Amino acid sequence: QQQVKQSPQSLIVQKGGISIINCAYENTAFDYFPWYQQFPGKGPALLIAIRPDVSEKKEGRFTISFNKSAKQFSLHIMDSQPGDSATYFCAASMHQGAQKLVFGQGTRLTINP
Amino acid sequence: ETGVTQSPTHLIKTRGQQVTLRCSSQSGHNTVSWYQQALGQGPQFIFQYYREEENGRGNFPPRFSGLQFPNYSSELNVNALELDDSALYLCASSSTGSGNTIYFGEGSWLTVV
């Protein structure tokens, strides 16, 4: 019940295209869903996050879509650029108790120029 | 830059030895968490400290221990190192007043030989 499943494992998109990464969770107590971007040799950087009271959140080229009934959420990167090439992790946590993030397995995104 | 600083950045230890990793949290953040990230995987929650006490623990053995100091900085100690402990160790800081927003440092790469 603590798992977050992420797909695909790897993704190749042409420059200017839309990158889409999907995540699914089981624990309905999760109430915070962030996405992190990680470059090789660096720590994860918070990209965008959403709470289940909204179905979509957009920040620049990055959008999270959230489907509470399906227990799924996804990251869309519009106009993908070579600089977006990185590993992306979805995560989930609960407001109650320790602020523990449960991470997906990660998606290695490559944007071809 | 997240304001979370970790040291050392890289270190090599021998199986059976002990290691101490250090973290300074972002200014104003009173909660520190530690995560282990094995190569090619998502970060795994080790434990969290709040007000100098452990406030939640993941599925890690007791040889993983920690401290939080009055200035909110923290240490992660690992005793009796095993080869499987080779990983990137990430410190994350947050504030109880900022919801679940969690920021990571760049990590400490530990290699056990």
Side-chain angles (χ1 to χ4, degrees):
Chain A
Q1 267 221 329
Q2 289 292 314
Q3 279 190 318
V4 175
K5 295 183 179 179
Q6 183 173 347
S7 63
Q9 274 191 311
S10 63
L11 179 62
I12 299 174
V13 175
Q14 292 300 115
K15 179 182 175 183
I18 302 173
S19 304
I20 302 174
I21 304 171
N22 302 297
C23 283
Y25 64 97
E26 289 295 325
N27 191 342
T28 55
F30 287 144
D31 60 3
Y32 176 72
F33 302 90
W35 284 89
Y36 284 84
Q37 179 190 58
Q38 187 175 30
F39 292 104
K42 300 292 186 180
L46 180 63
L47 199 58
I48 186 172
I50 198 168
R51 297 193 184 275
D53 53 345
V54 297
S55 59
E56 186 175 282
K57 183 175 181 180
K58 183 176 181 179
E59 290 184 1
R61 296 185 295 110
F62 301 92
T63 300
I64 299 179
S65 296
F66 186 82
N67 186 330
K68 188 173 181 178
S69 61
K71 293 185 285 187
Q72 295 176 347
F73 59 109
S74 60
L75 176 69
H76 291 63
I77 306 175
M78 311 300 287
D79 187 27
S80 299
Q81 299 297 312
D84 297 330
S85 297
T87 299
Y88 291 80
F89 292 96
C90 63
S93 71
M94 290 178 276
H95 181 72
Q96 297 300 321
Q99 294 173 334
K100 165 188 171 181
L101 285 170
V102 179
F103 282 86
Q105 299 91 329
T107 296
R108 180 175 288 184
L109 174 65
T110 302
I111 307 300
N112 283 335
Chain B
E1 290 294 328
T2 64
V4 181
T5 59
Q6 294 186 240
S7 64
T9 53
H10 295 81
L11 70 167
I12 300 173
K13 290 286 188 178
T14 303
R15 188 171 50 182
Q17 284 188 316
Q18 179 265 345
V19 68
T20 297
L21 307 178
R22 295 177 175 82
C23 172
S24 293
S25 59
Q26 185 178 104
S27 177
H29 283 186
N30 55 13
T31 302
V32 174
S33 303
W34 286 90
Y35 289 76
Q36 180 195 66
Q37 185 177 22
L39 202 61
Q41 298 187 19
Q44 298 289 318
F45 177 77
I46 302 175
F47 45 55
Q48 180 178 89
Y49 278 83
Y50 172 65
R51 292 185 175 179
E52 303 175 48
E53 291 194 1
E54 189 177 292
N55 183 38
R57 189 178 186 94
N59 189 26
F60 281 82
R63 59 188 184 86
F64 286 77
S65 63
L67 286 171
Q68 184 182 31
F69 301 99
N71 65 354
Y72 305 131
S73 66
S74 177
E75 287 182 356
L76 165 66
N77 299 288
V78 187
N79 295 321
L81 284 167
E82 301 176 359
L83 297 180
D84 285 349
D85 295 334
S86 296
L88 177 66
Y89 288 86
L90 295 161
C91 174
S93 79
S94 58
S95 171
T96 51
S98 66
N100 300 68
T101 306
I102 296 172
Y103 299 96
F104 286 86
E106 300 289 25
S108 294
W109 284 97
L110 171 65
T111 301
V112 182
V113 297

